[in-house]
Amino acid sequence: LIILGAAGKNPFSRPLSYSAFIPWIGAASRIGQTLPKTEALKGMPSRKKLRSAKLKSQPECKNEYDLIFPQASRCQLAATCQEMGVSGVGSRTDLINRLQELLLYKDIYPKMFVKLQKTGGGVLHTGCMHSVVYYHSPLWWQESAQDHSDALLSFKHPPNMYISDIAGRVARHTNNRTEQKCFQPRDGRLCAATEENIQNAQEKTLKIDLPWLAALKFKGLSVQTEHAAADRYTQVHPFTGTKERYSLYDRLRKKKFKTRPEGLRSMTFSH
């Protein structure tokens, strides 16, 4: 339900711009006034690629276009220019400048965005089973574990269960950014990655009991006052009363997991 203002406009609407393309989270849920947004790093070449790439010492190598196609040669740039209907004559810098100008006209050159940006884009949002959205962030590039980690690091109290379709990648990336503190114990798996547990999971006979989750169904939400831990990753959650955090796959995931221990992240085993 949206309540329109006196002029009939949505009071929550904002003009779309690069500076306004920022994440949102409620004041009572966020860690502070500054939220992590590391999506821009997706376009940066990794250190490994920078070391292995044989780039010539030319000023145009530092151009923004190299963040999209760091290996693009002049022949590739010329071919792209011709495909887009502009001149392919000139230096590499001239070709890059022409292509960048076309990016300003996305309505006229939609193929340019598909070919150069490869963004996918969209909106990442996190919510609960009651359809309440607690966090959302517009994306330029395709969704990744990095975006999920940004969302988790925005919360004052990180959720005890985080459900996604890339649960393993989310757990590893977020733990690497928090000194292995966020998803614990067992790296966010429901149980230890023993051979017996893995075998039971494959045979669909594994059952996991989470007492704190069952208790919430009966006592409802109650605010706890225990905050003796030094940081938010090792302290007890004020509503659930536990400091356990799990990164799980949803019940709709039917694909085979890349590694056997990843099957221990399935919600099918919890009750």
Side-chain angles (χ1 to χ4, degrees):
L1 178 63
I2 297 178
I3 302 178
L4 300 181
K9 296 182 179 180
N10 183 355
F12 300 102
S13 64
R14 293 293 183 272
L16 182 61
S17 64
Y18 284 95
S19 60
F21 223 62
I22 57 176
W24 175 90
I25 187 172
S29 301
R30 60 177 177 248
I31 185 63
Q33 296 299 322
T34 302
L35 303 181
K37 178 71 171 177
T38 60
E39 189 186 13
L41 299 178
K42 294 179 185 178
M44 296 292 292
S46 64
R47 294 182 179 180
K48 183 177 180 180
K49 290 182 179 180
L50 288 175
R51 287 194 299 265
S52 61
K54 296 181 181 179
L55 298 177
K56 297 181 180 180
S57 58
Q58 298 179 354
E60 54 263 30
C61 290
K62 298 180 180 179
N63 197 285
E64 293 179 1
Y65 185 86
D66 291 277
L67 300 181
I68 304 174
F69 279 142
Q71 305 294 337
S73 63
R74 187 194 174 284
C75 294
Q76 292 173 325
L77 294 173
T80 304
C81 285
Q82 293 178 357
E83 185 178 353
M84 295 297 109
V86 295
S87 175
V89 179
S91 66
R92 191 169 184 274
T93 303
D94 294 335
L95 300 180
I96 291 175
N97 289 337
R98 293 187 191 124
L99 292 174
Q100 286 182 331
E101 288 179 3
L102 297 184
L103 292 176
L104 300 175
Y105 302 96
K106 61 181 180 180
D107 296 331
I108 303 176
Y109 295 95
K111 190 176 181 180
M112 189 67 183
F113 276 80
V114 176
K115 185 175 181 62
L116 296 183
Q117 297 291 65
K118 299 284 185 180
T119 60
V123 176
L124 173 71
H125 71 278
T126 63
C128 65
M129 58 187 299
H130 306 97
S131 300
V132 176
V133 176
Y134 291 93
Y135 171 94
H136 71 77
S137 176
L139 303 178
W140 294 112
W141 281 271
Q142 186 177 2
E143 172 193 343
S144 70
Q146 191 168 325
D147 303 307
H148 288 270
S149 183
D150 286 345
L152 288 165
L153 299 182
S154 298
F155 281 89
K156 181 189 302 182
H157 304 291
N160 296 107
M161 275 193 177
Y162 191 78
I163 304 168
S164 66
D165 55 355
I166 53 173
R169 290 158 54 190
V170 170
R172 289 187 291 272
H173 183 82
T174 308
N175 277 351
N176 287 338
R177 291 175 62 176
T178 59
E179 300 179 351
Q180 306 302 314
K181 293 180 179 180
C182 185
F183 286 108
Q184 295 296 338
R186 301 177 293 273
D187 291 330
R189 299 186 185 92
L190 287 170
C191 60
T194 62
E195 188 62 32
E196 180 182 1
N197 288 336
I198 294 175
Q199 186 64 31
N200 291 338
Q202 292 178 340
E203 296 174 357
K204 300 186 183 302
T205 59
L206 180 66
K207 295 297 181 182
I208 304 296
D209 290 323
L210 300 175
W212 60 269
L213 184 59
L216 288 176
K217 299 179 181 179
F218 298 98
K219 71 178 182 180
L221 295 180
S222 61
V223 178
Q224 306 291 328
T225 59
E226 182 181 349
H227 295 287
D231 58 69
R232 54 180 170 151
Y233 303 113
T234 56
Q235 70 182 8
V236 171
H237 194 284
F239 293 106
T240 62
T242 181
K243 58 182 179 181
E244 299 176 0
R245 294 189 188 87
Y246 301 96
S247 179
L248 308 178
Y249 294 102
D250 56 47
R251 298 180 184 272
L252 300 178
R253 182 179 173 88
K254 301 297 181 181
K255 297 181 181 179
K256 293 183 178 180
F257 299 102
K258 292 184 178 180
T259 59
R260 298 174 67 215
E262 284 300 282
L264 300 177
R265 298 185 186 278
S266 176
M267 287 188 61
T268 308
F269 310 123
S270 61
H271 64 281

